[in-house]
Amino acid sequence: MTKPSTAATQRELRPYSGYHNRPAPSDDSFITQVGPGTPGGEYLRRYWHPFLLASELKDLPVPVRLLGEDLVVFRDGSGQLGLLHRHCIHRGTSLEYGIVAERGIRCCYHGWHFNVDGTVLDTPAEPQTSRIKDNFVQGAYRIHEWKGLLFAYMGPVDAEPEFPTYDCVDNPSDNEVVPFRMNLPCNWVQIVENGSDPIHNAYLHAIVAGQQFSAAFKVLPQLDFPETPLGFLSMATRKVGDYVFVRASDIILPNMGQFPNGANRVDAESVGLRPFLTRWAVAVDDHNSFYMGFAHLNSYNAGVRKISREDFGVDQIPFIGQTQDRPHAERQREPGDFDAVVTQGAVANRKAEHLGTTDRGVVLFRRLLANAIRTTAEGKVPVQPRLNGDKPVSTYAHEVVMRVPDDVNLDDPQRLAQFGREAALSFVEFDHLPPLERERAVDKKVREILQSMAHASAK
Ligand code: FES
Ligand SMILES: [Fe+2]
């Protein structure tokens, strides 16, 4: 990983100095490469990754590319899911042209028949006495189906982690999840960096490129990145009129994130442990990714933004600027996340950057990622989402809106930041509670925090 550029020389600071300011070549392969045998690829192969909507898989096999490997996925006649290396081990024909059987899949070329776990069931052209089928296996990976998404585990068999489920997906009971998948022609790390960068919500989504989020996002926030048992929160705290507004997204290593909706009008008190999106930035290969996961339809999100099941799907999400399917001029007039992130390059050149104080979340993510890759390379097990006994993993993405009491001064940036951090960490403090109970406990706690700030200023 590269270090940010340091002080420029006098010569570089002259106007019209393009000749002296060409970026150095990138060398971020340690964190950006995803293929087999690369340090980053080995690390990613210690986790479950979503790669397809279950509804995309019908009667025919589907070719997929994941972590730089060409694969084929199918559901056999008995309902078992198979994820196999795409090219047949006999002589390489693609199994996307394989014939799905009651059990497994049969290669179209010479009829070799593979079970979903890659074992060879039959080599019909060989003599009856042949033992060839016992001597080879087709590469295969485990699949787990959850809430309409197919997940793959592509690591060593004896290092397979338990499949983690997450509290906010199942709870509260009014929560309905809707799967979606977007294609982004860029490296996966840029997508996570975008989620670790809350100041872009003010500029890209409110001030510069059009009002894509609510008007409250025009207010410049205090940023913070407190660590959680899963990674960290990428958070912004604003004073909007008479209210204080905390918005915090989960950054969960390696590639998961949860984000509240961007539509909060900040005109009524609320405490919401309700992400709008739970998403993974999945590496297709070094230069392509999926932005995919679940949208959450529930009473909390419906209160601020009207959305329905039909709004989400493949390359479909009801928020401007997430795909390249708009006319180019329109994308220039009102660019969105797709335009900002993809144009950093297929693999962004981090050696050419000039980072500022608001990039602390991006720097933190890179550091945690590089450390985790190193841990894996040393033969250790990288941190997995913390399972909560037999309960789902507790997560932390949230919004808090509270009216600021007359005797509390949150116009002071340090006090505003302090309130935001204490409010956010109270979601961690009560993380043994299920979401609705945790919302109530945090509601009480943030009121106490505000009261104690009133007492402190009265002294
Ligand atoms: S190439 Fe698949 S059976 Fe021959
Ligand atoms: Fe964004």
Side-chain angles (χ1 to χ4, degrees):
M1 194 172 55
T2 57
K3 286 204 172 69
S5 306
T6 48
T9 66
Q10 276 307 107
R11 193 180 59 180
E12 289 167 334
L13 291 174
R14 280 197 315 202
Y16 296 112
S17 62
Y19 181 88
H20 304 288
N21 276 304
R22 292 198 192 96
S26 172
D27 63 356
D28 305 310
S29 57
F30 186 70
I31 60 167
T32 59
Q33 286 186 341
V34 304
T38 62
E42 280 301 304
Y43 167 59
L44 291 173
R45 281 169 175 76
R46 298 303 185 275
Y47 296 87
W48 288 92
H49 300 281
F51 64 97
L52 203 74
L53 272 59
S55 59
E56 293 180 85
L57 184 58
K58 302 202 165 68
D59 58 328
L60 294 172
V62 175
V64 294
R65 190 162 160 75
L66 192 55
L67 302 183
E69 296 187 43
D70 288 323
L71 308 169
V72 66
V73 59
F74 61 95
R75 197 188 290 273
D76 75 9
S78 70
Q80 298 261 84
L81 289 162
L83 180 62
L84 303 182
H85 285 180
R86 193 182 301 168
H87 296 284
C88 174
I89 50 165
H90 176 222
R91 281 180 46 218
T93 291
S94 172
L95 291 175
E96 77 190 276
Y97 298 101
I99 306 303
V100 175
E102 178 61 19
R103 192 174 163 215
I105 191 169
R106 195 180 281 282
C107 178
C108 66
Y109 204 7
H110 313 96
W112 283 32
H113 184 180
F114 305 107
N115 204 349
V116 293
D117 63 3
T119 52
V120 186
L121 297 171
D122 188 20
T123 54
E126 294 300 307
Q128 288 263 311
T129 51
S130 167
R131 302 306 314 153
I132 192 170
K133 78 179 183 62
D134 301 323
N135 294 334
F136 304 100
V137 292
Q138 181 75 19
Y141 297 117
R142 267 193 205 282
I143 294 189
H144 186 90
E145 186 171 356
W146 188 48
K147 306 270 181 192
L149 288 179
L150 303 185
F151 291 75
Y153 171 72
M154 295 172 62
V157 171
D158 49 13
E160 182 184 314
E162 196 173 335
F163 183 84
T165 61
Y166 295 90
D167 58 356
C168 57
V169 175
D170 283 321
N171 289 302
S173 54
D174 75 341
N175 200 57
E176 180 189 0
V177 292
V178 187
F180 67 91
R181 179 169 69 82
M182 322 284 289
N183 293 286
L184 270 82
C186 69
N187 183 260
W188 74 277
V189 176
Q190 281 149 249
I191 300 172
V192 183
E193 289 175 350
N194 182 44
S196 309
D197 170 23
I199 199 69
H200 94 272
N201 296 329
Y203 288 94
L204 180 68
H205 296 313
I207 298 171
V208 175
Q211 195 171 307
Q212 302 169 357
F213 280 9
S214 74
F217 284 83
K218 289 184 174 166
V219 178
L220 290 184
Q222 293 299 308
L223 307 183
D224 205 349
F225 306 93
E227 293 197 25
T228 69
L230 293 174
F232 62 93
L233 288 169
S234 172
M235 62 178 289
T237 308
R238 294 170 161 84
K239 172 94 188 311
V240 182
D242 295 338
Y243 293 93
V244 57
F245 173 36
V246 183
R247 181 183 191 265
S249 304
D250 271 314
I251 304 297
I252 302 171
L253 267 69
N255 58 345
M256 188 182 162
Q258 297 199 116
F259 304 91
N261 68 70
N264 201 316
R265 291 183 300 277
V266 192
D267 55 5
E269 291 191 339
S270 63
V271 172
L273 189 62
R274 313 282 186 97
F276 173 55
L277 299 179
T278 296
R279 74 96 180 90
W280 288 259
V282 181
V284 171
D285 53 32
D286 291 351
H287 302 129
N288 294 280
S289 308
F290 296 142
Y291 182 110
M292 68 183 295
F294 304 115
H296 295 262
L297 308 190
N298 54 46
S299 53
Y300 179 86
N301 285 322
V304 286
R305 184 193 289 244
K306 283 272 163 281
I307 43 172
S308 67
R309 241 192 130 73
E310 292 66 42
D311 292 331
F312 297 89
V314 177
D315 281 325
Q316 192 194 352
I317 191 168
F319 183 54
I320 194 165
Q322 305 302 302
T323 64
Q324 62 186 350
D325 63 2
R326 294 185 300 152
H328 186 241
E330 191 185 312
R331 288 170 55 198
Q332 289 180 290
R333 290 200 178 90
E334 186 168 2
D337 288 303
F338 182 98
D339 310 297
V341 172
V342 168
T343 58
Q344 290 177 300
V347 180
N349 182 355
R350 292 166 181 81
K351 215 169 178 178
E353 294 175 339
H354 302 83
L355 299 181
T357 54
T358 56
D359 298 306
R360 301 193 306 281
V362 170
V363 173
L364 175 60
F365 173 66
R366 291 177 189 169
R367 194 177 73 230
L368 294 173
L369 175 60
N371 287 345
I373 293 173
R374 249 176 250 119
T375 297
T376 313
E378 287 163 3
K380 297 181 203 142
V381 180
V383 174
Q384 298 288 332
R386 189 180 66 170
L387 294 168
N388 202 356
D390 56 354
K391 291 192 283 226
V393 176
S394 296
T395 61
Y396 306 97
H398 64 264
E399 291 180 308
V400 171
V401 178
M402 283 285 140
R403 184 181 277 281
V404 182
D406 291 341
D407 49 0
V408 176
N409 177 14
L410 288 188
D411 292 321
D412 171 47
Q414 278 186 345
R415 289 173 71 79
L416 182 63
Q418 181 198 340
F419 173 78
R421 172 171 274 250
E422 288 184 21
L425 290 178
S426 60
F427 285 92
V428 178
E429 179 185 344
F430 298 114
D431 70 358
H432 53 286
L433 298 175
L436 279 184
E437 283 176 49
R438 189 148 46 124
E439 282 179 358
R440 283 193 287 274
V442 170
D443 188 296
K444 185 161 172 279
K445 179 75 188 262
V446 291
R447 290 173 198 282
E448 287 167 7
I449 295 167
L450 282 172
Q451 262 178 14
S452 70
M453 288 181 134
H455 294 149
S457 52
K459 275 179 198 159

